[in-house]
Amino acid sequence: MTPVGTLDTSLSESQYSSLLGLLGNPNMKLASIYRSSRDGSRYEDLLRCVGDKTGLVIIIRKGKYVFGVYISAGLQEPDDPTDTRRCECDILYISLAGHFATPTKIDLRGGLRGCGGQAVFVTGREGSAGGTRVYVAGCLWMGCESDEGPAVGICRCEQYTNSWNVPAGYTGERNSTGDALLAGEESFHADEREVLHVVGQ
């Protein structure tokens, strides 16, 4: 992808502009603080690059599909490296390509039954949160375990959006119960994972 201004991001200019609009502030400044293709795909690489920053947009690209999730919190590690930390925060899912005629936000506020509430779960570097490294309420898992055990990296992901939260006009893939699969399938290896930071947060 061509860099957007001075921001070295995987997003196109139109996707970047749409993202700012969906976040509600076209004048917002975002900094690309992590890209798996640039910084490494290990869990430690993600945590090292993100650090203690808050106001994050996690972007996932899988083939023609591009989607993300804004979390007002950061990826806060627990004090015990074998434990998991839950952090309450604002969450907003965003479709940038492959699902709707135009970029669309998927606001899950009030619609997170059984999905962990408005929270992000982050494991310690030696832990596993129910088989994953990072879980974002609204059903996104990053760094899922395989048959071999806990994931070393964050490439293997799972995602679905409950059918009652899917906006009108959705044309992407669904599972057998009608839930939207923003990556085209529920379990997948992401082509690119990126974290953008809202400058000033």
Side-chain angles (χ1 to χ4, degrees), residues 3-25:
V4 178
T6 59
L7 176 63
D8 180 20
T9 177
S10 64
L11 299 178
S12 67
E13 288 191 27
S14 62
Q15 289 170 350
Y16 180 78
S17 177
S18 295
L19 174 61
L20 296 183
L22 293 173
L23 291 175
N25 185 354

Side-chain angles (χ1 to χ4, degrees), residues 3 5 14 19-20 34 47-48 90 116 138 140-141 161 179 185 187 200:
S14 62
L19 174 61
L20 296 183
Y34 170 78
L47 296 177
R48 168 178 51 81
D90 294 327
L140 171 63
W141 297 262
T161 299
D179 302 325
E185 52 191 333
S187 180

Side-chain angles (χ1 to χ4, degrees), residues 91 93 108-119 137-139 162 164-165:
I91 294 173
Y93 280 80
L108 307 181
R109 191 177 304 278
L112 288 170
R113 299 195 302 269
C115 291
Q118 292 277 345
C139 302
N162 294 119
W164 60 80
N165 285 320

Side-chain angles (χ1 to χ4, degrees), residues 128-191:
S128 174
T132 191
R133 292 294 195 178
V134 176
Y135 170 68
V136 182
C139 302
L140 171 63
W141 297 262
M142 298 172 58
C144 298
E145 291 183 356
S146 66
D147 293 338
E148 288 74 37
V152 173
I154 57 167
C155 295
R156 188 167 181 270
C157 305
E158 294 184 11
Q159 186 282 329
Y160 66 86
T161 299
N162 294 119
S163 58
W164 60 80
N165 285 320
V166 180
Y170 178 77
T171 60
E173 297 295 326
R174 294 179 185 262
N175 63 16
S176 60
T177 59
D179 302 325
L181 306 177
L182 299 183
E185 52 191 333
E186 189 165 325
S187 180
F188 61 97
H189 281 76
D191 297 330

